[in-house]
Each structure stands twice: as C-alpha cells, then as structure tokens.
Amino acid sequence: MVVKTQEAARWAVQFSMRFDIYLGTKLLTFDSDLHGLRVGGVEYLAGQDGALIYDKTRALLHANQVELQMSTNTSALIPALRILGEAYAPYFDERPVVESQNNIAFYWKPSQLAAFYNRYSTDGLDYAQREPVIRQAVAFIVAHPQTLPLPKEPLTRMSEPSKLLGFYEGFPIFDGATGFARLQSRLGIHMDTETVMISTPLDQYEADVYELAELLAQKTGLDYSKKKNRVLFLKEEKLLKALGIWTRSE
C-alpha cells in the first residue's frame, strides 16, 4: 500500500529530490519518491511475503538506466548495479548478506556489511544530506569489484544508547536517529526523519506489527507500506498526534 492522501501528495512535492550518478554510459538515478527500484517504468519493492528486490529483478536484462530509492541500502543498490552490468564484490551476493534485508538479527554478529554501513549509512539523514554519502558509497563499491576491503565489524549503532520518546498501546516509541532500537527491541515504533516505522527483528511478532499498524491507520486515516516484519508511515502531524509525541516545534 502507498499513501494516497492529499496531505501525502503535498508532502511528496515539497520534499522530492533526484540526482544522477553516471557510470560510464550507464546511469543511476536516485529519487526520494521511490522506496525500491524502477526499471523501464516498472517499480520493484520488497513485500510482506519476504520477496526481495534482489530476487525479483534477477531475470532483468541489462539496462542503461535504473532509478532507485535515495539510500545506500544494498537491498536496492546492489540489484541496480547488477542490472546496469556493473561489477561489485561477490560478497554482496552471499545469501546471508542478501537475506539480512529481512533478517535484521544478522547484525547481532560482526560483518563486512556492518562495516560498510558504519562508513556509508544514510539512516537518520535528511534527504538533502544524503547525496554525498551515496556518491561515496557507489564509488567505493565499483572501485572494488573483486573483494570488499573491509574488516568484520559490529554495527556501530549497536553500541549507541537508544532514545525512548514514549509509549503507544504499551509499545515503546524510539528516536530512529539514535542507537539501533530496531534490533534491540522485540517490537518498537521508530521515528525517522521522513517516516515512522513499526518493526520487529523476530518473526513471531510480525502479526503484532501489522495489527498495530492497522490500529494507527484506522485512527488517523493514513495508509502505510508493508514489508516483512515492518511497516512504514509517512511522518505526518496527525500520526504524531495519535502517538502522543507531537509538539508545535516539530
């Protein structure tokens, strides 16, 4: 599901951003309105069923342009590079690394992927701040097509304290810009710069995520996008008021 309200449409127009990265004659276009990857006018998203963009785009022939979300998240970035025919370290094709997009518990152990995000994460950054980080991340990946020259590291955010903002229906609400409560809380509500995520790192609580999301949708009239073990709302005033954390300074 995608937000369709008039408020969301105004939000999208106000905050939309795009920029291009040329890789020879090929083109990566990063678009803040996308939440996955688009090729030839067809958009590919990760869904509630756990199907990944990586797998959904396996059969695609090479293209000259790929549009994708404005993020360094490898869930869309690696498939985009593959579609363009750009080489990257085989590490990104290892199945546990690919599945980490649905299995956040992957980060309970040190990894090269964690080391990559320690250096190039766009989490918690406003869209206006993301372009230089994304450019650096793409340049790093394409510069090392054989081996990823990074040590295994724990995710830095795991050692940072999380900031609790309050509770809703007994579930904790966290500031998504601090710590990594998405992994440390069995089920939580996470306030990011443009979105509000409800998520769990454990499959047995997946139904609770969707139940809580539906409760908020009914209360606010807002819609949300649904993925495995998580949902996303746009960060709108009526949602913040429903959660009890909105102030006029927001």
Side-chain angles (χ1 to χ4, degrees):
M1 290 184 286
V2 180
V3 177
K4 298 294 185 181
T5 64
Q6 290 183 348
E7 287 184 22
R10 289 196 296 271
W11 183 93
V13 170
Q14 182 180 359
F15 291 98
S16 293
M17 291 182 59
R18 286 170 65 93
F19 71 89
D20 297 328
I21 294 179
Y22 285 90
L23 299 171
T25 60
K26 306 294 180 69
L27 180 62
L28 279 175
T29 297
F30 291 86
D31 189 331
S32 63
D33 288 340
L34 292 178
H35 298 287
L37 178 153
R38 185 162 61 202
V39 182
V42 179
E43 190 168 351
Y44 298 88
L45 302 169
Q48 178 185 357
D49 60 0
L52 300 168
I53 296 171
Y54 181 95
D55 295 319
K56 290 181 177 181
T57 58
R58 267 190 177 280
L60 292 183
L61 299 176
H62 289 178
N64 291 320
Q65 180 182 14
V66 179
E67 300 169 276
L68 67 160
Q69 61 194 19
M70 194 170 289
S71 165
T72 56
N73 195 318
T74 58
S75 63
L77 182 54
I78 292 301
L81 292 173
R82 184 181 63 198
I83 293 167
L84 292 180
E86 289 290 326
Y88 55 82
Y91 171 78
F92 289 111
D93 290 326
E94 293 179 9
R95 201 63 203 177
V97 176
V98 174
E99 291 288 352
S100 70
Q101 295 149 29
N102 275 339
N103 177 25
I104 197 172
F106 174 88
Y107 295 103
W108 281 338
K109 296 180 180 180
S111 67
Q112 288 180 289
L113 186 59
F116 173 77
Y117 285 130
N118 286 343
R119 290 157 179 77
Y120 302 111
S121 176
T122 49
D123 286 352
L125 295 180
D126 292 332
Y127 283 136
Q129 299 174 298
R130 294 185 183 191
E131 181 176 345
V133 180
I134 292 172
R135 289 187 180 277
Q136 292 167 19
V138 172
F140 175 80
I141 291 174
V142 299
H144 300 96
Q146 301 299 326
T147 303
L148 196 63
L150 293 172
K152 289 184 179 181
E153 295 177 356
L155 198 64
T156 301
R157 292 181 64 191
M158 283 286 291
S159 62
E160 298 173 0
S162 296
K163 182 178 180 180
L164 182 66
L165 301 177
F167 292 87
Y168 179 76
E169 296 293 324
F171 295 107
I173 304 171
F174 296 100
D175 178 1
T178 61
F180 201 34
R182 294 176 195 173
L183 184 57
Q184 297 161 329
S185 175
R186 288 183 295 178
L187 191 152
I189 303 167
H190 309 281
M191 311 298 299
D192 293 318
T193 51
E194 288 90 19
T195 60
V196 176
M197 175 185 285
I198 305 171
S199 70
T200 177
L202 302 170
D203 287 347
Q204 64 258 44
Y205 299 111
E206 183 179 38
D208 297 296
V209 168
Y210 303 138
E211 182 179 344
L212 183 57
E214 193 56 33
L215 178 65
L216 282 168
Q218 292 174 5
K219 188 170 184 177
T220 63
L222 299 176
D223 216 336
Y224 55 88
S225 61
K226 184 181 290 187
K227 299 182 180 181
K228 180 174 172 58
N229 289 6
R230 60 200 187 276
V231 301
L232 283 172
F233 286 89
L234 287 179
K235 191 177 179 181
E236 298 193 34
E237 178 181 317
K238 62 174 65 177
L239 178 60
L240 299 183
K241 285 183 175 179
L243 292 170
I245 59 173
W246 180 83
T247 67
R248 293 190 181 277
S249 62
E250 288 284 345

